[in-house]
Amino acid sequence: MRFDVFDSPVQFLEQEGISADHDWLRQYQLWFQNEGQAISDAVDRAGTPWLRMFDRWGTRVDEILYPPEYWRMLRQGYRSGVLWRVVEQNSLIPAYLLLYVTGFHDPGLACPYTVSLSTLSPLSKYGDPERKAQFLPRMLERDDNVWQGATWMTEIKGGSDLGAAVETVAQPDGNQWRLTGDKYFASNAGAELAVVAARPEGAPQNVRGLSLFLVPRRRGDGQLNYCIRRLKDKIATRSVPTGEVELRQSEAWLLGRAEYGIYLILEALNLSRVANSVGAVALAQRAITDAYSFATQRTAFGKPIVQHPLLHRQFEHRCQQLRAASRLAWEAVYLLDEVWQEKPPYSDRYHLFRLVAHLAKYWTAEFAVETAKWAMEVYGGVGTLYEYRVERWLREAMILAIWEGTSHRQMLDGLEVIERKNGHRLLLQHLRGNASDSALRAMEARVDRQLGLDEIEREGTLEDLFDDLASFTANALLNRQG
Ligand SMILES: Cc1cc2nc3c(=O)[nH]c(=O)nc-3n(C[C@H](O)[C@H](O)[C@H](O)COP(=O)(O)OP(=O)(O)OC[C@H]3O[C@@H](n4cnc5c(N)ncnc54)[C@H](O)[C@@H]3O)c2cc1C
């Protein structure tokens, strides 16, 4: 196994046949190597940005304060094309390539780019012509004037059961709406434009009663349209300001049809779950490469620790798993790139994508956590010290398994696609030629047995099946391209 490509995300992507030789991607990586990584480390260590709520005259301003280097780092990704290349090439692939390189250096920084993408997409798909003319050009700027997006769904009562927990109310107001409520986890707080889940007055108190709205940072008259109550001090993703946002009669525009809101919310989540998968693989690659660098230099019992058979075998195993995880994550990207413009009712291809995306989000996030923990162990005691960065990968990985829907959510949503849309048959059909017929039949029979269990057993024993299905898919994909 060639370990030397593992210290370069771009080289790894090229070796795996995922990316061609893109000069712009190499330049982006180079920028991180020369400058960005040091900025990222400083932001992580110095802590989360802070909030200035009032100016000196007592006017509410809700400014988020960072050192100027932070803005330079943040804007690098926008300038490199994490948004504008998507529209120019009518493809998500360039965005996910940039997210991979970002995730290798700063997993948290991938968040503003992802939520901006998850704002751009519904705006361009469902925005009315006036709103598109007003906002799209701002998000596609190629310089420092670019507008950022944000996706705010979660409220204090919880993120998993949005149908029950969202209390933000939407009232019609001419051709606009007014939103009132509090968002409890609002990443990229301060963004110029957010997509927000709210319940139109009188809509059902369940997930079908939710709609998706576009909420700009400023009202038509220039006043603040939402307030930031506070920023959260988090264990990781410290390079993104996650706040609590207060909406008070905030101006908003409905996206799509009100009763289709849950589909729009899930479409936005598709983009971020896939981004999470790509970021998790990038993080795992980073943890492995850092561990490898340490293990080639640390000696014990007369030789570098990497040369001891037990550790050497572990490295080989991790790298093989990394390649499989990468295939699964990128399969989700390719499928998403085919279906992201679809609107309900969706095709079978879309349902296949959804199952792959749930498998990828679940499996890659868990893999990232395990790999980051293992990398810390390879470092031994110094792995626990803040000075040497490897502890950061474990902190960052913990978030990947929680946001964009926890691992439980991925399993349960995956089960739903299997039950309602025959997702497993679509998947196994998709994998024909990459696994033996007998292995495909055995996996199909296994899923069918699960579906035959009573409800409590079916859910209670789901993790083993989901884990096996994800691993089976990832390894089959490795056969395809390897
Ligand atoms: C750093 C960070 C930034 C975030 N940024 C944003 C953002 O910008 N926008 C946004 O909308 N949200 C954001 N979130 C919120 C995130 O999406 C939620 O944390 C996540 O969806 C889980 O919701 P919760 O934390 O309320 O946990 P809960 O929903 O309360 O769940 C608690 C636990 O119960 C489990 N659980 C729930 N239901 C079931 C079930 N049926 N079966 C088994 N287990 C179950 C969950 O998996 C979890 O383990 C952010 C979170 C973090 C940590």
Side-chain angles (χ1 to χ4, degrees):
M1 178 143 325
R2 282 184 58 201
F3 291 117
D4 54 328
V5 298
F6 280 72
D7 65 356
S8 158
V10 170
Q11 244 187 304
F12 177 73
L13 292 172
E14 286 173 12
Q15 180 196 267
E16 292 299 301
I18 291 160
S19 169
D21 179 7
H22 296 302
D23 188 50
W24 51 268
L25 197 59
R26 286 186 174 277
Q27 291 304 323
Y28 184 59
Q29 172 171 296
L30 198 62
W31 181 83
F32 258 110
Q33 288 164 345
N34 291 340
E35 197 176 353
Q37 188 68 69
I39 299 173
S40 164
D41 290 348
V43 171
D44 178 62
R45 292 295 292 126
T48 232
W50 52 287
L51 176 67
R52 179 161 56 207
M53 293 172 83
F54 297 93
D55 70 9
R56 74 185 64 171
W57 318 115
T59 307
R60 191 83 188 246
V61 288
D62 289 9
E63 266 182 282
I64 294 174
L65 300 176
Y66 273 114
E69 293 77 10
Y70 169 80
W71 294 109
R72 205 160 68 243
M73 175 171 75
L74 177 74
R75 285 175 183 139
Q76 200 68 21
Y78 292 113
R79 245 187 267 126
S80 300
V82 76
L83 298 182
W84 63 259
R85 279 185 201 277
V86 170
V87 173
E88 188 181 84
Q89 298 180 21
N90 193 26
S91 167
L92 295 169
I93 306 287
Y96 285 105
L97 291 173
L98 283 162
L99 286 171
Y100 192 84
V101 175
T102 307
F104 184 88
H105 297 95
D106 185 333
L109 189 68
C111 170
Y113 302 149
T114 302
V115 291
S116 294
L117 193 60
S118 301
T119 305
L120 179 73
S121 171
L123 169 62
S124 60
K125 275 173 81 175
Y126 298 102
D128 63 55
E130 232 176 292
R131 243 37 64 200
K132 285 205 248 191
Q134 188 179 356
F135 298 131
L136 271 179
R138 310 304 303 263
M139 297 199 76
L140 298 174
E141 298 273 7
R142 299 182 183 204
D143 58 21
D144 293 353
N145 297 314
V146 64
W147 273 26
Q148 296 195 77
T151 57
W152 299 335
M153 319 291 170
T154 310
E155 301 189 3
I156 191 139
K157 289 191 174 165
S160 302
D161 185 7
L162 279 184
V166 169
E167 293 182 337
T168 296
V169 174
Q171 296 166 305
D173 181 19
N175 71 339
Q176 275 186 293
W177 292 71
R178 299 273 171 182
L179 265 49
T180 300
D182 296 335
K183 292 292 168 185
Y184 188 68
F185 273 108
S187 288
N188 224 16
E192 286 82 1
L193 196 60
V195 289
V196 176
R199 197 182 308 276
E201 265 181 338
Q205 289 296 318
N206 57 34
V207 81
R208 303 249 162 221
L210 298 179
S211 300
L212 193 65
F213 295 88
L214 208 51
V215 178
R217 167 112 163 105
R218 299 208 169 264
R219 299 175 195 263
D221 64 5
Q223 299 295 307
L224 285 179
N225 195 28
Y226 64 80
C227 287
I228 303 169
R229 185 187 300 144
R230 70 179 181 110
L231 295 183
K232 293 176 188 293
D233 199 3
K234 301 166 287 176
I235 61 163
T237 68
R238 289 160 84 85
S239 51
V240 52
T242 301
E244 291 170 21
V245 160
E246 297 172 344
L247 301 154
R248 298 289 180 268
Q249 292 285 308
S250 302
E251 290 179 1
W253 283 276
L254 178 67
L255 285 166
R257 288 164 54 180
E259 63 277 21
Y260 276 17
I262 185 57
Y263 296 109
L264 273 66
I265 292 169
L266 289 174
E267 285 179 19
L269 278 171
N270 286 341
L271 291 155
S272 53
R273 286 173 175 171
V274 172
N276 202 87
S277 309
V278 163
V281 176
L283 184 149
Q285 185 191 339
R286 181 59 186 264
I288 292 171
T289 199
D290 284 2
Y292 185 70
S293 162
F294 181 83
T296 51
Q297 294 172 71
R298 175 66 129 200
T299 55
F301 303 100
K303 54 185 175 185
I305 56 174
V306 71
Q307 289 176 16
H308 290 288
L310 179 58
L311 201 52
H312 191 79
R313 188 65 59 86
Q314 285 187 350
F315 268 105
E316 289 199 328
H317 179 61
R318 285 275 154 202
C319 291
Q320 195 60 15
Q321 276 188 309
L322 179 76
R323 295 186 60 230
S326 160
R327 294 300 156 96
L328 183 58
W330 285 94
E331 191 67 8
V333 175
Y334 300 137
L335 287 168
L336 178 62
D337 202 41
E338 282 180 38
V339 302
W340 69 295
Q341 317 255 21
E342 280 192 21
K343 295 178 178 178
Y346 301 114
S347 67
D348 272 355
R349 200 73 180 161
Y350 182 92
H351 300 310
L352 165 66
F353 154 74
R354 264 198 66 200
L355 180 55
V356 171
H358 291 309
L359 292 169
K361 201 296 182 171
Y362 162 77
W363 206 61
T364 57
E366 296 296 329
F367 174 62
V369 174
E370 284 163 21
T371 303
K373 169 180 165 284
W374 167 82
M376 190 190 248
E377 285 169 15
V378 171
Y379 265 68
V382 292
T384 66
L385 305 182
Y386 282 125
E387 286 143 77
Y388 303 114
R389 204 189 280 138
V390 76
E391 56 75 36
R392 177 178 175 189
W393 308 137
L394 183 55
R395 288 187 284 115
E396 302 279 5
M398 292 303 299
I399 305 266
L400 294 175
I402 291 174
W403 67 5
E404 313 308 349
T406 60
S407 292
H408 304 128
R409 206 53 264 157
Q410 303 312 314
M411 288 185 252
L412 293 168
D413 287 1
L415 180 63
E416 189 192 80
V417 186
I418 289 174
E419 283 175 333
R420 294 207 188 156
K421 307 289 177 190
N422 263 320
H424 57 309
R425 289 191 225 291
L426 297 171
L427 175 64
L428 297 171
Q429 175 77 20
H430 183 65
L431 295 176
R432 274 231 176 115
N434 309 127
S436 69
D437 285 350
S438 60
L440 290 166
R441 274 198 305 277
M443 185 48 86
E444 186 170 7
R446 170 123 197 255
V447 179
D448 284 337
R449 271 199 307 281
Q450 188 81 19
L451 296 180
L453 298 173
D454 71 52
E455 202 180 328
I456 291 180
E457 267 312 285
R458 199 183 322 143
E459 251 188 60
T461 59
L462 181 59
E463 182 151 23
D464 283 347
L465 173 77
F466 210 70
D467 194 48
D468 285 353
L469 188 58
S471 158
F472 179 84
T473 305
N475 285 299
L477 292 168
L478 203 51
N479 290 339
R480 176 190 293 177
Q481 296 155 23

